[in-house]
Every structure is written in structure tokens, then in C-alpha cells.
Amino acid sequence: MAVRKRLGLDVRRFGVMLSSDLCHRALASFGGDLAPTAAVQKERLWQEFFSDPSQWWDHRLEKVNARHPDFKHKSTHESLWVEDQWNPPWVEAEIAAMAPGTVQLNIFSWNKRLARCVKAGQYEKTIELFQQLQQEGVSPDKFTFVPVLNACANLRALQQGRRVHEQIIQSGCQSDVFLGSSLANMYVKCGRLEDAWRVFNKMSSHDMVSWNVMIVGHVKSGKAQKALELFQQMQQEGVKPGPVTFAGILNACASVGALEEGRHVHKEIIENGCESDGFVGNSLIDMYVKCGSMEDAWRVFNRMPLRDVVSWTSMLLGHVKSGQGQKALELHQRMQLEGVQPDSVTFVGVLNACASLMALEKGRLAHEQIIQSGCESDIFVGSSLVDMYVKCGSMEEAWRVFKKMPSRDVVSWNVMIMGHVKCGQGHKALELFQQMQLEGVQPGPVTFVGVLNACASVLGLEEGRHAHEQIIQSGCESDIFVGSSLVDMYAKCGSMEEARRVFYRMPSHDVVSWTTMLLGHVKCGQGLEALELFQQMQLEGVQPGPVTFVGVLNACASLVALEEGRQMHKLIIQSGFESNIFVGNSLLDMYVKCGSMEDAWRVFEKMPSRDVVSWNVMILGHVKCGQGQKALELSRQMQLEGVQPDPVTFVGVLNACASTAALNEGRRTHKQIVQSGYDSNVFVGNSLVDMYAKCGSMEEAWRVFKKMPSHDVVSWNVMILGHVKCGQGQKALELFQEMQLEGLPPSPVTFVGFLNACASVLALEEGRHAHEQIIQSGCESDIFVQSSLIDMYAKCGSMEEAWSVFKKMPSCHAVAWTAMLNGYAIHGHGQEAIAHFEQMCEEGVELDNIALVCLLSACSHAGLVDEGLCYFNSMGSVYSISPTVEHYACMVDLLGRAGYLQEAEGFISMLPSQASPSLWRSLLGACRIHGDVDMGECIAKRLLELDPRNAAGYVLLSNVYTAAGKGDLSATVQQQRKWA
């Protein structure tokens, strides 16, 4: 250092890096003028450099520190620095004027530059340098080819890699193991396993690296079984596996769920002493997790000397996958307590756990941590955040995250689209789909599935067709999930023809596509086609799943096909799905709808668990069968077993109360509904109004009606029909007008109720006006509306208009025929009624009890005794209808009116059960008409015995005495009535 100070220069920055001999001479002449000598020597070297630069190597890009030279002579190894305070200006000018490439790099320097570029991830720069090297005439060696092949592999530049391969062959380096491994790796990463195999087979020998490349390559290509075979072959050839080998083969086991093979590999790992390797340990955990053995994963995890974020995350994701979201969140807390900071993958797992548990608050806490860690901008974390908020039902927060994402990929858009579909916002999902494409994001199969579900939910057939066109253009039509969604969309939109076209164009059908098609037929009311499709599915060897059986059972229920349903039940037992709650509920529903409550009870009692749906089906089944009391008992038993009723339960219970006129039970149910918070439910509200109306308590029905937050057409219908039933026809007419003022269009049921009200108060003009509205609304073709029109005109005395409506009906239903028959009966047109009845029989109209009641009533009003007796006696033998109390009542009235009092009394005695007071009152009225006091007294005694508190018996007997001129006896009866 003292020498440097005395000379006034720094040896490191000296213009010429002298040879050892020159250094010694310089130091020996310490007292002399060293600087001028060095300057002369330096100038001489520079002149030599500029006279023939080809004799010098360029080392400018190989600097490691200040001592490294810029130029080095190929023969003498003299060195020069470009940046040096001792260089004269002319040197700097000459260097600046030099053309690039005038001075060559040696191959060693080129290789170092290539290696540095690959290490820095500058793959395109690596390939450019390789091309430059060749342009400068430098011959590459095997150390040149390796980084270039790695660059091609990372860029997936197959064509460039093949050109390099050709050069390797020309250079004669192909047999080199190190180079062969790099070549095989390049082909593997470019997706060309066949080419990798050719390289591998031509290698003179195989080391562990080359085997690793082939094993990992097969795993990544989805050929895990081949990877396992390669691992065995590698060991047979005596090559000892290393950590990378074990990691690859564990990935192979994980991908095919080969737990036993994975355990065997684990033993080998222990024998080779690799278990403590963190990379291998994490691969072991991952393998056990993916094979479903969390116990083994825990054993590995607990034995690991050091657990990093990958180890914790693998365990966490394993618990999420196993449906143990709570355990995953506990692991996340424990991980942080041990000082391991979560990464983006960890947060994805935590958010998935929150989503599965619908743990919104915990999801929000995780969101705060994500912001603090700086992972919020990660696209996978962002998509998982959106997904978590969507699944937890917070679309508002999902939108906030979605809008803040720096970039949105197809996954994030898919989550938002599917979220809106799930929330019933199909139109919003379709808007998002359009916006996504405007932002340049191309939809994938999952996107199309979501869009098609949106179209199905809003019955958007045209939007679905447009999406179908895009699917064809994108090449996604062959995707089995997209195909199934297309079938589902067309089926739900009512276009089974298009659904069939898509179905039969699909390259293959799985159980989902078959089931989707089957459910489509069921929804469209094509139960028979659904059953045929199920048979075809079985012939093609596709095993039905639980949802398939649900669809088939629904088809049987819609067809009331009990025997087919029983056959399906046997198949369900064979398939092992009888314990499935959804299948069990569908079995119950099928048996109930097919009218076999015994079979339904057998299924119900065998069910290992029963949810609210199971109980609802049974309750509604008993209501439908007219067993309201049994339905009420079931509802009580259900709650004793700890199953809480839902709105459907309450609707069933209220219907049972209505059918049995159980007003007090209905009131208790009402209190329970209020406590459960379901009183605002429109279906429950409508059922409450209906129950009170049918139980005759219109005041309570009105209270419920007024408290309802909103009224639909059903609410108004129930009120209108309730007033009609209670004999308040005028009020029903007022309600009809009020409903229209609120802007609700009447339904066919509304018109039926209104026409019944018109009939009850003989409001012919209002009925005619309603008829005009019916024509305008398009409800004229409804069979029940037509029958109600006929009934209204008939009861209002306009048989001509009734007949006009009847004639216009394209195919007259039994209800319409009966309505006309009843009209003739009301107006005493006995012969017309008989002619009409005979025509009914000729045209094959199915007769029921009511038709015969109307016919016998017509005979009674017209005094057609012989005809009435003839039809009554023929009921069982000719019309296959057993007489009921109503038919006996008609005959008593017929005979009583005609004066055949003894015969009428004989009909009453013929009843299989005790006669009702109304029959005796009818006969007592006939005694008054015909002045038969003796019989009147006898009948009155019987009537008073049956119903002593009813004043009608006393009144009728008094009238009998008055008509016979026995006023004193009439007065006595009146006195008895007061004391009764």
C-alpha cells in the first residue's frame, strides 16, 4: 500500500495487468520512475489490441469484481481494462468506435452467460444469446446446450428445442447422460412423451436424474400407472432413488389413489433415510391426504423434524377435502401459533373451509389477515374470497372483492356467475357473462355450465340457444358436463326436441346426462318416455344413481303407475340406495300419489332417519286421502320426535283442520305458526285464510287476510270461495271487484268462485259480464270455468245461454254434462234431464254419484216417479254406482212429493246405516202436504228422538196439524217447543 501511495496510483486500476516477472521488476525498481514504463507498456498493448482484435477475448460481460479484465490475449494472456483512469483519450475513442462482435467471447464465457440467464428466468434472452453465439462462429459444447434446453422447456418452445436436438446430434453429444436428461426433460415439459422416450432409450446409460425426468413426466401427463412401473424398472437396474424420485412417485400414488403402493414407497423412503427430507415429507403428507388416509398423514406430519408452510397447508387442505372444515380452521390457528406464516395457498384452503361451514365471520377475519399479508392481489386468493362470500350468502361483499381484484380470470368470473345463479338471480348472471366477454375473458366449460343454469332458471330459451352457438364455436360441446347442462336447459325451457338432439350428439353419456334427460321428460309431463329412457340407460350398462331413482319414482307418481313403482323399489333395494333420504322421500311420495298408503307406511317405518320432508309427504298424503285426523296425529308425533315443522308442514296441517272442520286445532296451529315466524309466508297465509273460511269463521279469515304483507291471486281466490261457501255471495262479488282494482288478473279458479257467487245470488248480469272477461283472458277453454258458466246460467234461469256454452265446448267433460243436468233438475225439466242423461251414456261420459243425484232430483221435481224408481234400481247393475244417502234422500223426496208416503218410509228403512234427521224432516214435510197426520206424528216422534233440540221437527209437526185443521194440537206442539 505504501508503494501505491508513493507512486500515486492504484495497482488494481493499473492499465496493464503485468505478468509476475514484470511485477517483480517493477517492485525492484521501487525508487525509479515506474509510471512512465507502465504507461509505455500499456500503450503498446493497446496498439496490439487495435491492430488485431481477433487475438483477444471479450470479457466485459464476465466481470465479477474490479480485478477482472475486460480483454484477454488468447496466446500471451495479457489483460487490459477498458475503464481505467490511465487510458488516454484516443483509446476510449477507438473502443467506442469498435463494431460489436469485433472481439469474441470464449465458449466458457458464453456458457456462463447462458447459465446466468436461465437462473434469472430470462429464457427468451437465453435463446437469443445462443443464436448470437452461433452467428459469431463459436462452436457450442454440451454445457452450452443444457441451459438452452432448459430455456426451451420452460418456454414450451418445442420447435426451437427440436432444432437444438439436431445440433446436439451433429455435435455427437447425444449419448451424454447429462445432456440426454436435459433433452428428455425438454420434451416432457413440451408434452412430447414419445420424443422423450426416444431420447431416453438412446442414452448410453441412465442416472437417477434421467429416471426422475421420465417418472415426473408420466405423472404430469396423467400416466401415473406407467410412472409406478418406471420406478420398479429403475430399481431393477440398480439406480438408487433420491428425494426427487420419491416425491415424483408419491405424486403418482396420490393421483390414482394408490394407498397401498404409497405405503410401500414410504417404507423405502425410511430405508433410504429420506424421510427427514422436507420435500419428501410434504409429498408423503400430500399422498396420504389425497388417498383419504388422514391418520397416516398425521403420523408423518407429527414425525417431521421441521414443518414448513407447505406441510401445514397440505394438512389443512386435506381436512377441507374430507369435509372437516372446522378442523382445518383449528390447524390454521395452530400453524400461526408455531410461527409459520400462511401463504396464498394456505389462505385458499382457509377460505374454502369457511365456505363449506358458511362461517362468514371467520371468513371476514381471514380476509383481514390476507390484506395484512399482502396476498389480496393474488388471483387465486381473490377468487377464493369471492367464492367464500358467495357461498356464505353475502353477494355484496363478494362484489366488493371482485371489483378490487387487479385482474380477473375466468375462475373469478365463474364464481360470480354461479353465485348469482344460486341466489336465483339468473338475469344478473347472464349480464355478467356478457360483461366478462367484453373484458376479453374467454368462457370455459364451467362458465357455460353456469350460464346454461341461469338460462334454465329464468326459462331463457333464446339466451340458451345463443349460448349453445358459442359453445359449439369454442369446441366445448363435447364436454360431458356442458352437454348435460345443455340438455337440462332445453328440458327446463320446455324444448325436449332440442334436448334430445343435444343428448344423442354427445360422444358419451354418463349417469348425470342420462338422469338430466330423464328428469326433463318428467318435468314436461312425459312420464312414460322417462321410464323408457331408464330402461335404455340400463341396457347401455349405466348404473343409476340416487337422483336417477328420484326421477324415475316421480315419473311413476305422475303416471299413477303403482306396479312400475314397486319394481323400482326392488331395484333401489338391490342398488343399496333405500337408506338415502332423498330416495326414501321419493318412494313415500310415489306410494302416496299412487294411493297406496300401506306401502308408504312400510317405507316410512323402515327409514333410518326421517327429515321434515318425509313427515310432510305422509301428512299431505293422509289429507289427500280424506284422513285429516290421522294427518293431525302425525304432525304431533313429528314434533315429539324433535322434527321442527316448516311452511309445507303447516300448510298440510291447516288443510287437515279445514277438511275436518277442526277450528280449535286450526287456532292452535295458527299460534305455532306465529311463534315460528312463518305467518308472513304467503302459502301459509293462504292456507290459514282457507282453513278459517272452511271452518265457517270468516271473521278470523279476514283478520289473517288483512295482516298478510302481500296478496297473490290465491289469497283472493280463497277469500272469494270462502264467502261463497258461507252463503255470502254478494260479498264475494265485491271482493272480485276489489281484487281487480289492485291490478291482479283473475285466474280460472277466481272465475269459478265468482261464477258460483253469481249463481248463489242469481246475479245474471254480473255473470254475463264475467263471461266477457273470461273470453278476453283466454280462460274460456278451461273445463272448470266452462262448467261453472253452465251452472251459473242454469241457476240464474237462462238455460238457453247454458246450452250455448255447452255446445261450444270441444269435448264435454263429465263436470259440464252434470252441470247441464243439474240445470234441468233445478227448473223441473224432467224429460229434458232424462234425454240429456241418456245422451251422456251414449257418448261414453263417465258417470259419477253427482250425475245420478241430479237425475233423480230432476225426476222428483217433475213428478216422474216410475222413471226415478227405474234409474235408482239400475244404479248398481247398469251404472256400477252404489247408492249413497244423497240418492236415498232424492227417492224419499220423489215419493213424498207424489204422495207415496209409505214407500218413502220404506226407502228410509232400507238405508244400511241410521237415517239422518234431514231424511225424516223431508218425509214429515210430505206428510204436511198430503195431510197424513198419523204418519206425521210417528215421524215427528222419531225425529225428536234423533234431534230433540232442533226446532225444525216441532215446526213441521205443527204445520201438519194446522194443514189438517187441528189448531189445538198445533198450539200444543208450539208450547212443547218452548219447553224443549
Side-chain angles (χ1 to χ4, degrees):
M1 184 60 73
V3 173
R4 292 177 188 172
K5 287 180 179 178
R6 286 185 61 186
L7 292 176
L9 54 89
D10 187 348
V11 175
R12 286 188 307 104
R13 300 295 295 161
F14 199 68
V16 181
M17 178 66 75
L18 301 176
S19 64
S20 57
D21 186 53
L22 285 173
C23 284
H24 284 300
R25 287 206 303 272
L27 291 171
S29 57
F30 173 69
D33 189 3
L34 181 60
T37 305
V40 172
Q41 178 66 7
K42 177 181 172 183
E43 186 171 344
R44 182 185 64 76
L45 287 172
W46 276 120
Q47 287 172 348
E48 286 182 17
F49 173 80
F50 289 121
S51 64
D52 189 5
S54 64
Q55 297 302 309
W56 296 77
W57 292 109
D58 188 344
H59 275 242
R60 279 178 295 182
L61 296 175
E62 300 301 320
K63 280 189 177 180
V64 176
N65 52 47
R67 292 181 180 277
H68 201 84
D70 291 315
F71 300 123
K72 188 171 184 179
H73 199 277
K74 292 178 180 179
S75 302
T76 64
H77 304 296
E78 301 285 358
S79 299
L80 291 167
W81 286 297
V82 174
E83 296 174 3
D84 189 5
Q85 60 186 349
W86 293 90
N87 288 333
W90 71 270
V91 171
E92 293 179 11
E94 286 282 346
I95 290 170
M98 283 176 66
T102 305
V103 183
Q104 292 182 338
L105 280 167
N106 63 13
I107 191 63
F108 176 75
S109 303
W110 279 108
N111 290 348
K112 286 184 72 177
R113 288 180 69 189
L114 291 166
R116 273 209 305 273
C117 283
V118 169
K119 188 176 180 182
Q122 300 171 341
Y123 305 121
E124 292 89 350
K125 181 68 176 173
T126 304
I127 292 173
E128 287 172 14
L129 282 174
F130 179 65
Q131 291 170 344
Q132 186 181 338
L133 172 153
Q134 292 174 301
Q135 288 167 4
E136 295 188 10
V138 179
S139 298
D141 61 12
K142 67 179 182 179
F143 299 107
T144 315
F145 290 124
V146 168
V148 176
L149 288 169
N150 288 343
C152 292
N154 284 289
L155 292 171
R156 308 295 188 267
L158 180 61
Q159 296 306 318
Q160 181 68 37
R162 282 183 169 149
R163 284 193 287 272
V164 174
H165 189 176
E166 289 172 7
Q167 290 178 280
I168 290 168
I169 293 168
Q170 291 167 7
S171 69
C173 300
Q174 190 180 18
S175 61
D176 184 87
V177 174
F178 187 46
L179 194 54
S181 297
S182 298
L183 259 173
N185 181 59
M186 183 274 294
Y187 280 125
V188 162
K189 287 191 174 178
C190 290
R192 296 293 301 174
L193 265 177
E194 291 179 9
D195 291 312
W197 265 111
R198 278 194 285 273
V199 171
F200 184 77
N201 290 329
K202 286 180 182 178
M203 289 170 67
S204 56
S205 62
H206 302 127
D207 61 357
M208 183 179 65
V209 176
S210 53
W211 282 104
N212 289 349
V213 167
M214 294 306 291
I215 289 169
V216 172
H218 279 85
V219 173
K220 286 185 177 178
S221 300
K223 300 178 179 178
Q225 201 56 50
K226 183 65 180 176
L228 294 171
E229 292 171 11
L230 279 171
F231 179 64
Q232 292 176 341
Q233 190 179 341
M234 167 187 173
Q235 291 177 300
Q236 288 168 3
E237 292 193 12
V239 180
K240 187 178 179 182
V244 177
T245 323
F246 285 126
I249 208 65
L250 288 169
N251 287 344
C253 294
S255 66
V256 294
L259 180 59
E260 289 308 314
E261 289 84 345
R263 284 174 174 154
H264 182 70
V265 173
H266 191 174
K267 289 178 184 177
E268 291 188 61
I269 288 167
I270 295 169
E271 290 168 4
N272 282 270
C274 294
E275 194 181 24
S276 60
D277 183 281
F279 186 47
V280 174
N282 289 338
S283 297
L284 270 168
I285 290 172
D286 183 65
M287 182 273 295
Y288 281 128
V289 162
K290 287 180 178 173
C291 288
S293 180
M294 290 303 296
E295 289 183 13
D296 286 306
W298 269 107
R299 276 195 286 272
V300 174
F301 182 77
N302 290 330
R303 281 204 299 265
M304 289 178 77
L306 182 66
R307 296 187 288 248
D308 60 7
V309 66
V310 178
S311 323
W312 285 96
T313 302
S314 293
M315 290 300 293
L316 190 149
L317 290 170
H319 283 291
V320 172
K321 185 187 173 188
S322 303
Q324 300 172 334
Q326 191 58 47
K327 185 68 177 176
L329 296 179
E330 290 169 10
L331 269 174
H332 177 231
Q333 290 178 333
R334 183 178 155 196
M335 163 188 176
Q336 292 174 94
L337 288 172
E338 292 196 14
V340 181
Q341 292 305 310
D343 63 6
S344 57
V345 182
T346 318
F347 284 125
V348 168
V350 171
L351 292 169
N352 287 346
C354 293
S356 68
L357 296 168
M358 297 185 73
L360 182 58
E361 288 306 316
K362 289 182 179 178
R364 285 170 177 155
L365 288 172
H367 191 175
E368 290 174 11
Q369 282 186 285
I370 287 163
I371 294 168
Q372 292 165 6
S373 69
C375 291
E376 194 178 22
S377 60
D378 183 281
I379 196 162
F380 300 106
V381 174
S383 296
S384 298
L385 268 169
V386 173
D387 181 63
M388 182 274 294
Y389 281 126
V390 163
K391 287 180 178 170
C392 290
S394 180
M395 289 303 296
E396 189 178 341
E397 287 173 289
W399 264 107
R400 279 202 291 271
V401 174
F402 184 72
K403 288 176 181 175
K404 284 182 183 177
M405 289 175 73
S407 63
R408 298 186 284 249
D409 62 359
V410 68
V411 176
S412 46
W413 284 98
N414 289 349
V415 169
M416 288 301 289
I417 289 169
M418 295 293 260
H420 282 289
V421 173
K422 186 183 174 187
C423 294
Q425 300 170 353
H427 289 295
K428 184 65 180 175
L430 295 176
E431 288 172 18
L432 275 172
F433 177 60
Q434 292 176 338
Q435 188 183 340
M436 165 188 173
Q437 293 174 93
L438 288 172
E439 292 192 16
V441 180
Q442 293 302 310
V446 178
T447 322
F448 286 123
V449 168
V451 169
L452 292 168
N453 287 347
C455 293
S457 69
V458 298
L459 304 180
L461 182 58
E462 287 307 313
E463 292 88 343
R465 284 170 177 157
H466 180 65
H468 191 175
E469 289 172 9
Q470 287 183 275
I471 287 164
I472 293 168
Q473 290 165 7
S474 67
C476 293
E477 194 179 22
S478 59
D479 184 282
I480 197 158
F481 298 106
V482 174
S484 297
S485 298
L486 271 168
V487 172
D488 182 62
M489 181 275 295
Y490 281 126
K492 285 180 179 172
C493 290
S495 181
M496 285 308 297
E497 188 177 341
E498 287 173 289
R500 273 190 291 270
R501 277 202 295 271
V502 172
F503 181 76
Y504 288 113
R505 275 206 304 267
M506 289 172 71
S508 62
H509 301 125
D510 62 357
V511 66
V512 176
S513 51
W514 280 102
T515 303
T516 303
M517 194 68 186
L518 192 149
L519 289 170
H521 281 296
V522 174
K523 186 176 182 291
C524 293
Q526 300 170 351
L528 194 58
E529 289 84 345
L531 295 180
E532 288 171 1
L533 202 69
F534 179 72
Q535 290 177 337
Q536 188 182 342
M537 169 186 170
Q538 289 183 297
L539 289 171
E540 293 198 14
V542 179
Q543 293 301 312
V547 182
T548 322
F549 282 120
V550 168
V552 175
L553 290 169
N554 288 346
C556 294
S558 68
L559 295 167
V560 195
L562 181 59
E563 286 310 312
E564 288 80 353
R566 284 173 175 155
Q567 290 299 317
M568 292 306 154
H569 193 171
K570 290 177 183 176
L571 280 176
I572 287 164
I573 294 168
Q574 291 167 10
S575 303
F577 292 130
E578 195 180 21
S579 59
N580 182 289
I581 189 77
F582 301 107
V583 175
N585 289 341
S586 296
L587 271 169
L588 285 179
D589 184 63
M590 181 273 295
Y591 281 129
V592 164
K593 286 180 178 172
C594 289
S596 180
M597 290 305 295
E598 289 182 12
D599 285 305
W601 266 106
R602 277 195 287 271
V603 172
F604 185 73
E605 288 171 347
K606 284 182 182 177
M607 288 175 77
S609 63
R610 298 186 285 245
D611 62 2
V612 67
V613 177
S614 322
W615 289 95
N616 288 349
V617 171
M618 293 300 287
I619 289 168
L620 291 167
H622 282 289
V623 172
K624 184 186 172 187
C625 294
Q627 300 171 351
Q629 197 57 48
K630 183 64 179 176
L632 295 176
E633 289 171 14
L634 271 172
S635 72
R636 287 190 284 268
Q637 187 183 342
M638 163 188 167
Q639 292 174 77
L640 286 172
E641 292 193 16
V643 181
Q644 293 303 309
D646 66 1
V648 179
T649 320
F650 286 124
V651 167
V653 172
L654 291 169
N655 288 346
C657 293
S659 68
T660 56
L663 182 58
N664 288 331
E665 185 69 32
R667 284 170 179 156
R668 279 193 292 271
T669 305
H670 190 175
K671 288 179 184 177
Q672 204 177 351
I673 288 165
V674 173
Q675 290 166 1
S676 303
Y678 291 130
D679 51 327
S680 60
N681 183 290
V682 70
F683 301 106
V684 175
N686 290 341
S687 297
L688 271 168
V689 173
D690 182 62
M691 181 274 295
Y692 281 126
K694 286 179 178 173
C695 289
S697 181
M698 288 307 299
E699 188 179 340
E700 287 173 290
W702 265 107
R703 278 201 291 271
V704 174
F705 184 77
K706 287 176 180 176
K707 283 182 182 178
M708 288 174 72
S710 63
H711 301 128
D712 61 3
V713 69
V714 177
S715 320
W716 288 98
N717 290 348
V718 168
M719 287 300 289
I720 290 168
L721 290 166
H723 281 289
V724 171
K725 188 187 176 193
C726 293
Q728 301 170 1
Q730 195 58 48
K731 183 64 179 175
L733 298 182
E734 292 169 12
L735 275 172
F736 179 74
Q737 292 174 339
E738 192 179 334
M739 169 188 170
Q740 290 182 297
L741 288 172
E742 290 199 10
L744 274 174
S747 70
V749 178
T750 321
F751 285 123
V752 167
F754 183 76
L755 291 169
N756 289 346
C758 293
S760 69
V761 294
L762 305 179
L764 181 59
E765 286 307 314
E766 287 84 348
R768 283 171 177 157
H769 182 64
H771 193 172
E772 291 173 7
Q773 283 186 276
I774 287 164
I775 293 167
Q776 290 167 5
S777 67
C779 294
E780 195 179 18
S781 59
D782 185 278
I783 185 68
F784 298 104
V785 173
Q786 290 171 331
S787 301
S788 297
L789 272 168
I790 294 167
D791 184 64
M792 182 273 296
Y793 281 128
K795 285 180 179 175
C796 290
S798 181
M799 287 303 294
E800 288 182 9
E801 287 174 287
W803 179 247
S804 177
V805 174
F806 183 78
K807 283 193 300 182
K808 287 178 183 176
M809 292 176 69
S811 58
C812 293
H813 192 271
V815 178
W817 282 93
T818 305
M820 278 299 295
L821 187 61
N822 189 45
Y824 288 127
I826 290 168
H827 297 292
H829 299 160
Q831 293 300 335
E832 290 87 341
I834 290 171
H836 185 77
F837 181 79
E838 292 299 332
Q839 192 180 348
M840 282 178 73
C841 296
E842 286 174 15
E843 296 201 13
V845 178
E846 187 177 352
L847 300 176
D848 59 8
N849 288 337
I850 298 171
L852 268 297
V853 168
C854 292
L855 177 65
L856 294 174
S857 178
C859 292
S860 174
H861 284 87
L864 302 173
V865 178
D866 292 337
E867 290 84 345
L869 285 167
C870 180
Y871 282 117
F872 181 85
N873 293 327
S874 303
M875 280 182 64
S877 58
V878 178
Y879 307 114
S880 302
I881 295 173
S882 299
T884 63
V885 173
E886 287 80 7
H887 298 109
Y888 280 98
C890 286
M891 292 308 296
V892 170
D893 186 59
L894 169 65
L895 294 168
R897 283 172 183 264
Y900 297 105
L901 303 180
Q902 296 295 332
E903 288 80 356
E905 186 180 10
F907 259 93
I908 295 175
S909 64
M910 285 167 60
L911 277 168
S913 58
Q914 188 179 27
S916 67
S918 62
L919 284 176
W920 291 113
R921 280 195 288 270
S922 175
L923 185 55
L924 186 56
C927 290
R928 180 188 66 80
I929 293 169
H930 296 287
D932 193 333
V933 177
D934 294 336
M935 179 174 278
E937 286 179 336
C938 292
I939 293 169
K941 288 178 182 178
R942 290 189 187 181
L943 185 58
L944 293 173
E945 285 173 5
L946 287 171
D947 195 4
R949 294 186 178 277
N950 195 314
Y954 293 100
V955 172
L956 286 169
L957 182 58
S958 174
N959 291 341
V960 168
Y961 286 134
T962 301
K966 298 181 179 182
D968 55 338
L969 293 176
S970 175
T972 304
V973 171
Q974 292 292 343
Q975 190 66 28
Q976 288 175 346
R977 176 189 170 193
K978 290 178 182 178
W979 290 101

